[in-house]
Amino acid sequence: LDDFRRKLEDNTYQVLVVGEAKRGKSTFVNALIGRDILPTDVDIATSQVFRICPADKEAYRLRFEDDSQQAITAGDLPRYGSQVMADAVGVPRLDQIIRWIEVDGPIRFLPANVRILDTPGLGALYAAHAEITHRFVPHADAIIFVLDSQAPIGDPEIKFVEKLLGVTNSIFFIQTKIDQFRKEAWQEIQKRNQDILGQRFKDRLTDTRVWPISSTNLRKAAQTGDKD
């Protein structure tokens, strides 16, 4: 009851962005922001949860498990939240465990009381990444589940959807990278994804549609205000 009361008083809606590694989660969140803020890389990039919050002014913080905080700069984000940087130069030594990395600022496609939590990829070489993501699942009000246009949804992803349904049936499926494939090719993958979700989960999901996304075009729209 205390948790629910605090949640009502806080009045924010937490949306978890999840998916297998290299599906384009952080690139999609950058597109929502309208700028390349979160670290992305051809290798495994995200190693911590990034909490994105709409605000008038930019600010960046490490939020620790005891609720204390440490201010950082935008340039520090890869240092604390990128696996590529961690593998190259090591993780900075901290006395406390990071809950998440907070990113505040003007965000084109995010309502004022919505918080986006960008999570590390599942199924990667780093088991700790999946553990971090699973730890945040119970706190999600809704999920954005990221698929890509290279192949249809697989068994590990289906098993994860099963777990998510124990928390919420508000799962919004997107399929990224449509600008990297011929229209007929990504549409075939989209149809296959929707067929699989419909067959496996039927009435258990609020919506089994899969929404095609080009993060590149979405980011251009944020920057230019071009509605098309």
Side-chain angles (χ1 to χ4, degrees):
L1 287 173
D2 285 341
D3 287 343
F4 280 117
R5 188 181 72 250
R6 279 192 296 270
K7 189 172 180 58
L8 285 168
E9 290 170 350
D10 188 37
N11 192 32
T12 57
Y13 198 71
Q14 304 223 86
V15 180
L16 209 63
V17 180
V18 304
E20 293 280 303
K22 306 318 300 172
R23 293 295 190 263
K25 295 184 298 299
S26 296
T27 303
F28 168 68
V29 175
N30 278 335
L32 292 179
I33 297 170
R35 291 190 296 138
D36 290 336
I37 295 289
L38 305 187
T40 59
D41 199 273
V42 293
D43 294 318
I44 307 301
T46 305
S47 59
Q48 292 284 355
V49 171
F50 286 87
R51 188 175 192 252
I52 316 302
C53 175
D56 293 333
K57 295 182 179 180
E58 289 187 18
Y60 307 91
R61 293 175 296 274
L62 303 179
R63 179 71 62 176
F64 299 105
E65 283 297 350
D66 66 356
D67 213 33
S68 62
Q69 58 182 296
Q70 175 182 321
I72 59 174
T73 67
D76 290 327
L77 296 180
R79 185 169 171 237
Y80 291 101
S82 167
Q83 189 62 52
V84 176
M85 184 71 76
D87 289 343
V89 300
V91 180
R93 182 162 182 166
L94 296 165
D95 295 330
Q96 297 145 293
I97 297 173
I98 295 175
R99 179 187 302 165
W100 55 45
I101 301 172
E102 296 179 349
V103 176
D104 298 351
I107 298 170
R108 174 65 179 84
F109 295 115
L110 204 57
N113 64 332
V114 173
R115 308 291 180 264
I116 290 284
L117 273 65
D118 181 34
T119 65
L122 302 167
L125 297 173
Y126 303 92
H129 291 188
E131 291 174 9
I132 290 170
T133 297
H134 283 281
R135 182 159 57 92
F136 280 88
V137 166
H139 305 290
D141 296 304
I143 307 287
I144 295 176
F145 201 111
V146 181
L147 307 168
D148 74 11
S149 297
Q150 190 165 359
I153 187 169
D155 286 338
E157 293 164 307
I158 289 170
K159 289 178 182 176
F160 191 44
V161 173
E162 285 280 2
K163 175 166 184 173
L164 294 173
L165 284 170
V167 177
T168 177
N169 62 355
S170 297
I171 305 177
F172 185 80
F173 294 91
I174 67 170
Q175 180 178 313
T176 59
K177 307 179 185 178
I178 63 170
D179 51 294
Q180 298 179 22
F181 296 87
R182 289 182 295 106
K183 186 175 182 180
E184 297 80 6
W186 69 253
Q187 285 183 335
E188 179 59 33
I189 296 294
Q190 180 192 25
K191 181 179 183 304
R192 182 73 181 123
N193 280 330
Q194 292 179 153
D195 288 346
I196 293 170
L197 291 170
Q199 292 165 9
R200 292 297 296 263
F201 301 107
K202 296 181 181 177
D203 299 329
R204 297 172 63 196
L205 284 167
T206 303
D207 195 341
T208 58
R209 284 178 293 178
V210 175
W211 297 84
I213 293 286
S214 164
S215 294
T216 300
N217 290 336
L218 185 61
R219 184 177 56 190
K220 288 178 181 176
Q223 291 171 336
T224 65
D226 187 332
K227 293 181 180 180
D228 289 335

